[in-house]
Amino acid sequence: MFCKKDNLNEFILGFFILILLVMIFIPISMMPEQKNILTIIATDEDNPGVGTTNIKFSQNDIVIGNALSHENGEDTININENGVYQISYQLYGQNENLVTFKFNAVLLVNNNPLENTFNEGPILRQNTENRMTLSGTVILKLNAGDNLKLQAVTIEDINFPRARMDIEKIA
């Protein structure tokens, strides 16, 4: 037989379960996503050659999360998770000779230069201090298994004593 008391008890129980579910799932859905950040630095000894070269980095300064990895002293950054990444870099070049001075930078993904990341530096002529820093920031969609490199491009006898890359997975 139909009873108002049973109906009320079922309603209260259902309402209690609904409140409990809301209390559990709303905080879980509002939890921030794990950050994935990699900051790597190159110093004087990392890139002793001159001319076009892939930049090696000896210091992993900040490593948070598992989406990115890099071994000290190597030029390759490993992408471990699919996603959208913001990549910023600074590349310092110098030449002690007072001659024509020009270098560029480009990002390589799987050893292929990405033309839309080509950063062209100005041409400096004789009687100037032949040193400068190129910097750039790009956002790229990368896949797990990809590798990323920063390449200095020049036909001059320029060396690259300092560089830095900051990479963050943003989506």
Side-chain angles (χ1 to χ4, degrees):
M1 175 143 299
F2 181 71
C3 178
K4 288 184 181 182
K5 185 176 180 183
D6 288 340
N7 211 12
L8 182 61
N9 286 342
E10 288 177 11
F11 174 77
I12 291 172
L13 180 62
F15 186 71
F16 176 74
I17 290 172
L18 178 65
I19 298 257
L20 186 60
L21 289 174
V22 167
M23 289 174 52
I24 291 171
F25 288 112
I26 286 183
I28 289 174
S29 68
M30 294 178 69
M31 289 176 67
E33 186 177 334
Q34 167 69 34
K35 293 278 187 189
N36 288 281
I37 299 170
L38 176 66
T39 295
I40 53 179
I41 298 172
T43 61
D44 290 342
E45 297 80 30
D46 293 340
N47 299 290
V50 294
T52 297
T53 187
N54 292 340
I55 302 300
K56 295 179 181 176
F57 298 88
S58 64
Q59 297 176 14
N60 289 348
D61 193 43
I62 299 171
V63 180
I64 299 173
N66 298 314
L68 300 153
S69 59
H70 171 262
E71 289 197 31
N72 288 340
E74 298 295 322
D75 62 3
T76 302
I77 297 103
N78 298 303
I79 308 302
N80 302 322
E81 294 179 9
N82 294 342
V84 177
Y85 293 82
Q86 179 173 305
I87 303 156
S88 298
Y89 65 86
Q90 298 84 42
L91 177 60
Y92 175 76
Q94 70 179 15
N95 186 338
E96 298 306 319
N97 301 318
L98 295 177
V99 296
T100 301
F101 177 85
K102 178 176 175 59
F103 76 91
N104 308 302
V106 67
L107 293 173
L108 308 176
V109 174
N110 301 324
N111 293 316
N112 297 310
L114 298 179
E115 292 298 322
N116 61 355
T117 68
F118 192 76
N119 187 352
E120 191 168 356
I123 297 173
L124 302 178
R125 301 286 180 196
Q126 294 178 354
N127 300 324
T128 63
E129 289 191 33
N130 288 337
R131 58 185 130 259
M132 72 174 159
T133 301
L134 284 181
S135 61
T137 299
V138 298
I139 296 175
L140 298 175
K141 184 176 181 186
L142 299 170
N143 298 310
D146 285 347
N147 64 64
L148 179 69
K149 297 179 182 182
L150 174 63
Q151 185 176 70
V153 181
T154 185
I155 59 171
E156 314 294 338
D157 289 336
I158 298 170
N159 61 23
F160 303 95
R162 292 191 307 273
R164 176 185 176 115
M165 286 185 77
D166 300 289
I167 308 167
E168 181 177 4
K169 182 179 179 196
I170 58 175

